[in-house]
Structure formats: structure tokens, C-alpha cells
Amino acid sequence: MRLIIREDPKAVAYYTANYVRQRINEFKATPSRPFVLGLPTGSTPVEVYWHLVDFYKRGELSFRNVVTFSMDEYVGLPRTHPESYCSFMRRHLYDHINLRSENIHMLDGNAEDLAAECQRYEDKIKEVGGIELFLGGIGPDGHIAFNEPGSSLESVTRVKTLAYETVLANARFFGGDVNKVPKLALTVGVGTVRAAREVLLIITGAHKAVALAKCIEEGVNHMWTLSVVQLHPSAMVVCDEDATLELHVKTVRYFKSIEQVQEQLIGRQNIGLKGSISRLSHAGAQGLYMHAPQPQSGPDSNAGAEPESSAEMRQSDVDEEEEYVAYSDASKSAEGTPMPVDDPASSSDELHDGASPGATRAAAAAVGDSRLSGNSSPVEAANNDGQPEVSSSGLSEHPAIRHPRYMLPRASGLSTMGEIHSLAPPRAQSPAALAPSPPGYDQSSVYPATWHEYEDQFNYFYNCHFIEQDYYDYLSGNLRRPGNNDSN
């Protein structure tokens, strides 16, 4: 399973829509071999649909040979009702693209025989050859479509009673009146989703952070039906930073590092759309298995040239940034665009915030920041006390290395109980060191942004353990009281 983390819901929506666009174009669908797409309802995919409509209007995507299957529909709600999922899909997607009416498939919640309607739906999916890509959102309790907690992981399209939490969540679409919300729905099953050749889930918001943690860090559980994607051979979850709040920090860093390795060391040109590695260039292989060779001294050493892998890495980021900027500028000037365009910086793939990837790496290259260009370790990029070097101009020589956010007290400022009763006076700093932090310095994050900050936190708690242990030894008589000048 792939986990793609983006900054905010807007960046998630663009990434998801752009991925769907590339998958459809890469598939090269024909009338006899259509691209079969499963589509969700609800508030999460709305902006994804706006992007897809925009791609169509710009001539970058055609739905002529696409077949769609909606995930669910309320029982007993007329199709013309503004809150029916039939009206929802037409309002946000179907009425704005060139999708043929015979290729649109939706469940009928007003059928006389609901069981027969569900069977008809399953048969129709098999008739077109199965679903190629199932796009889906999830609920705060981890349900896919209307497969509420406790649903069978082998279930197929069927009638489902909605959980009370789901009814409450959907009441906002019915004027806040719980009594107006349908209590039954037709939904594709967990097994129907699993049968798709690829599954792509969108998860945004802190209110879904627990569900994402259950999906990523715990086992398969029918009480969290989205966890079934762990068993799928081609599944991807795209989420925003808020949705990762319940994940372990090491989990978030792991999945971000996977994406970094793929793009920076292997090369985006060598990665398939689904994340498979099609080939590995010589430069990429060299970066994976050994350190880049150091430039030799002498007149023919070409000492000023940057490593090929670093140049490709920077160019890859610049290309992605230019593509997004071009898309945003064109969308702003296009008439009738059904969506607001977000800032290009929101699609940044960097671990740090602020400046765009291309600009950050270009600035780093200009001042010789070897930590970003991949020529040395983070430790070598800072001086002994972990602070960035300051040039005579007053600007940080390492703009991407942030100042430690946690100032640790000296030993003399700690009592035997661990309380802080005094702090050492601040170290004198030059006016240049007191200059404002570089653009992009994020003071709101609670997680360390560099290895130095992580190391500081680790050392702090590590030392706290020994301070506490010394106090216990003192109580047991095995250690003299700290600060006692007695020679015994």
C-alpha cells in the first residue's frame, strides 16, 4: 500500500485528480475496452471532481470511453431530490463532461425489489470487465461507501442500515434535521471494492486521523472496513497533514522517505504511475548503493560541477512546480472554471515548509548547502553547537536548517526532583544571528524538522532518566546528595 501525504485538502484534491487523469490517458480506452471508474459521493471528492471538469474543459482529459459506477444511493429518496446521490453526481461531475449517458451506472434506491437491484449492479460490473480504478472516501469511523463498522470484508452490493453516527454526519445536508435523513442505503460491498484492480482512497481532516491510523498501523479489522486495503495488491491512500495526527512520527517519516527515495535517487522518469520501478539509471543505482564520488583535485577535476543525481533531483522538482504553476495560471484566466485554484506551494513534496522545492534547492546550491544537494550528512552541514553558520551579510548560510525549538536547561538549573529552578543566562549573539528567520521557517509545528532537533529531544528525555535515577539512588543511600561538598 502506498501512502501519499500532501499539505492540505486542496493539494490532496489536485494530486488525486491529476492521478486519475494520467491513469485514464495512459489506459488509452476504446469503446470495446473502456476505462471503468468507481466514484464516491460525499464532501471529500467534490474538489477532485472540480479538477476533473477543469481538465476536460482544458482539453487534457476525455470521458468518451469511460464507464462509471457510483458507490451508493439512499433508499426511498427520489432521484430528483437535491440530496440524492444521483443529483449529487450530476451536479458536480456528469453534467459538465462528455460522459455518455449509457456509460453512467447508479443504484436505484426506489426499485421495487432492492435485492434484485443490487444483484443487477454486480452483474453489470462483471459485464464490463470489472472496475479498473475505485476512487473512494471514508467516514470518521473508517467505513468505505456505506459499509459501516462490522460489515463483512467479503460483502457485495446490498441494502445497508446506516449507523447513527453516519445519520448525524449526513444531517447537515438535510437542514440539520436527523429525521429527514434516510436510514437505509444501497451500497457496493467491501468485496466489490476489493475486486477492483486498483483502489485509491482520499482521507482529509483531523476528524479522520484515528481512522487513518487504524488503516495504516493496525491489522485488518471489520470494525474499520477501510483497513481491508492492506490486502489489496494495488492500493493507495492520499491524505493531508491533519489526517496524520494519530500516526506515529516514524510512520509519517517512513512514507515520506519512500517518496523521496523514489523521486530523488531512482528518478521520477524511472517510476511507473502506480509506483512500480520500470528501470534504474546508472546514476540512480550509484546513488542507492554507494556515496557519490568526491571530486578530484587538479585542473581537470571539474570541481565546480554538481553531481548528476542532484541536478536531476532539482530539475524534477522544478518541472513539477512549473507544471502546477502553469495549471494554476491557466485556471485563473479561464472562464467558467468551477473551482478555486489553490497556491502552487501547497503541492510541495518537500519535508520542510515554506519555499517551493525548486527555489529552496536553487538557493541551497547558491550558498553551498550540501545537506540539501545530497553531498553530505546533516551533521556536516552544521557547526558544533547545531546552529546554522551566519555569514558577514547577516543571512544564514543554511536556510533550510532551522534553529532548535527546545532550549534545554543546564544541569545546574535542575533540582533533584526534576523541577527547573533557574536557567543559564542566554549566550551572547551577534546582531546577524538575531536576524529574522529565513522565509518558510515554520514555528507552529510540534514535530522536529531536522535531525538536530530530533537529537536534542532524544538527549533531553535520555538525560531526564538518569537525573531521576540519581535521585532514587540518593534516597536509598547509594549516592550522596547532589551538590554536597562533603568529602565522604
Side-chain angles (χ1 to χ4, degrees):
M1 178 176 57
R2 299 168 63 193
L3 179 65
I4 305 297
I5 303 172
R6 290 297 178 264
E7 182 178 357
D8 53 31
K10 290 184 178 295
V12 168
Y14 177 78
Y15 181 93
T16 304
N18 191 48
Y19 182 86
V20 173
R21 175 181 68 88
Q22 294 183 67
R23 283 284 284 115
I24 294 176
N25 291 338
E26 183 186 74
F27 191 82
K28 301 186 185 303
T30 63
S32 60
R33 183 176 171 268
F35 187 91
V36 185
L37 183 62
L39 295 174
T41 52
S43 57
T44 302
V46 167
E47 199 161 349
V48 176
Y49 294 153
W50 291 349
H51 281 296
L52 292 177
V53 170
D54 191 53
F55 289 148
Y56 163 70
K57 290 185 175 182
R58 290 162 54 88
E60 299 176 0
L61 178 61
S62 174
F63 292 87
R64 190 68 181 171
N65 296 316
V66 174
V67 175
T68 64
F69 286 86
S70 297
M71 270 191 163
D72 37 38
E73 181 57 279
Y74 287 121
V75 172
L77 201 64
R79 285 198 165 195
T80 55
H81 191 285
E83 296 305 328
S84 72
Y85 289 146
C86 176
S87 298
F88 175 92
M89 294 301 299
R90 293 193 179 281
R91 182 166 62 250
H92 292 290
L93 183 64
Y94 294 159
D95 289 346
H96 308 285
I97 58 178
N98 63 335
L99 187 63
R100 293 184 292 185
S101 58
E102 61 268 24
N103 288 344
I104 298 175
H105 301 283
M106 291 182 282
L107 287 160
D108 184 4
N110 297 286
E112 292 185 5
D113 190 338
L114 296 178
E117 169 65 12
C118 295
Q119 185 60 49
R120 179 197 66 81
Y121 209 64
E122 286 285 334
D123 294 341
K124 191 64 181 179
I125 293 175
K126 295 177 182 178
E127 182 182 323
V128 298
I131 294 176
E132 181 68 26
L133 171 62
F134 221 130
L135 179 65
I138 70 162
D141 59 1
H143 68 257
I144 302 175
F146 277 133
N147 294 285
E148 304 285 19
S151 297
S152 168
L153 300 183
E154 297 294 336
S155 58
V156 295
T157 304
R158 68 204 187 285
V159 184
K160 187 68 178 172
T161 302
L162 304 185
Y164 186 64
E165 288 186 0
T166 303
V167 174
L168 289 178
N170 291 342
R172 68 187 189 275
F173 301 118
F174 294 86
D177 190 349
V178 176
N179 296 321
K180 294 181 179 180
V181 183
K183 308 305 186 293
L184 296 176
L186 301 183
T187 179
V188 297
V190 181
T192 309
V193 176
R194 286 184 59 190
R197 285 180 280 279
E198 184 177 6
V199 177
L200 172 57
L201 296 180
I202 314 167
I203 304 178
T204 59
H207 63 299
K208 297 181 181 179
V210 174
L212 178 62
K214 294 289 184 180
C215 172
I216 299 297
E217 295 182 339
E218 298 191 14
V220 178
N221 189 337
H222 70 157
M223 297 304 293
W224 301 87
T225 53
L226 82 158
S227 64
V228 76
V229 298
Q230 297 180 26
L231 304 176
H232 199 282
S234 182
M236 179 167 65
V237 176
V238 185
C239 68
D240 65 350
E241 293 284 355
D242 285 347
T244 67
L245 293 179
E246 292 292 334
L247 293 176
H248 291 94
V249 175
K250 64 180 180 181
T251 302
V252 176
R253 290 181 180 230
Y254 167 76
F255 282 103
K256 284 184 176 180
S257 70
I258 290 294
E259 193 173 4
Q260 273 199 324
V261 168
Q262 286 185 333
E263 295 200 356
Q264 296 177 4
L265 296 183
I266 300 176
R268 185 179 305 174
Q269 69 278 6
N270 301 321
I271 305 296
L273 190 56
K274 294 184 179 182
S276 59
I277 301 175
S278 55
R279 61 188 178 88
L280 185 62
S281 63
H282 175 71
Q286 196 174 43
L288 281 175
Y289 301 114
M290 63 186 71
H291 295 291
Q294 298 296 325
Q296 302 296 324
S297 59
D300 300 327
S301 62
N302 193 21
E306 62 178 351
E308 181 181 355
S309 60
S310 299
E312 292 177 354
M313 176 177 64
R314 276 196 286 275
Q315 187 60 43
S316 174
D317 287 333
V318 170
D319 291 343
E320 180 177 354
E321 181 185 12
E322 290 177 349
E323 176 187 352
Y324 193 92
V325 170
Y327 168 79
S328 300
D329 292 343
S331 299
K332 290 176 182 177
S333 60
E335 296 182 359
T337 302
M339 59 154 290
V341 180
D342 58 311
D343 188 89
S346 65
S347 63
S348 170
D349 292 340
E350 296 300 303
L351 288 180
H352 57 275
D353 306 318
S356 60
T360 301
R361 288 206 171 95
V367 299
D369 188 351
S370 59
R371 196 180 79 86
L372 284 185
S373 60
N375 293 338
S376 67
S377 65
V379 176
E380 295 171 346
N383 53 19
N384 294 333
D385 59 3
Q387 298 291 339
E389 299 175 1
V390 179
S391 66
S392 58
S393 63
L395 298 179
S396 173
E397 293 291 338
H398 302 286
I401 301 179
R402 301 175 182 172
H403 301 275
R405 300 180 192 137
Y406 307 96
M407 301 304 295
L408 304 183
R410 302 292 183 182
S412 59
L414 289 177
S415 70
T416 56
M417 290 295 291
E419 299 97 344
I420 300 174
H421 56 74
S422 66
L423 289 176
R427 185 178 57 180
Q429 292 181 319
S430 65
L434 298 176
S437 300
Y441 173 56
D442 176 23
Q443 302 188 34
S444 63
S445 174
V446 298
Y447 299 123
T450 67
W451 168 252
H452 299 291
E453 297 178 42
Y454 181 84
E455 189 176 33
D456 285 343
Q457 293 183 59
F458 175 83
N459 289 337
Y460 171 74
F461 290 108
Y462 189 76
N463 291 333
C464 281
H465 166 73
F466 285 102
I467 292 172
E468 184 179 0
Q469 188 61 46
D470 287 344
Y471 178 68
Y472 290 148
D473 290 341
Y474 160 71
L475 293 179
S476 62
N478 297 328
L479 183 72
R480 63 184 177 87
R481 183 180 180 85
N484 189 349
N485 295 323
D486 189 356
S487 58
N488 291 330

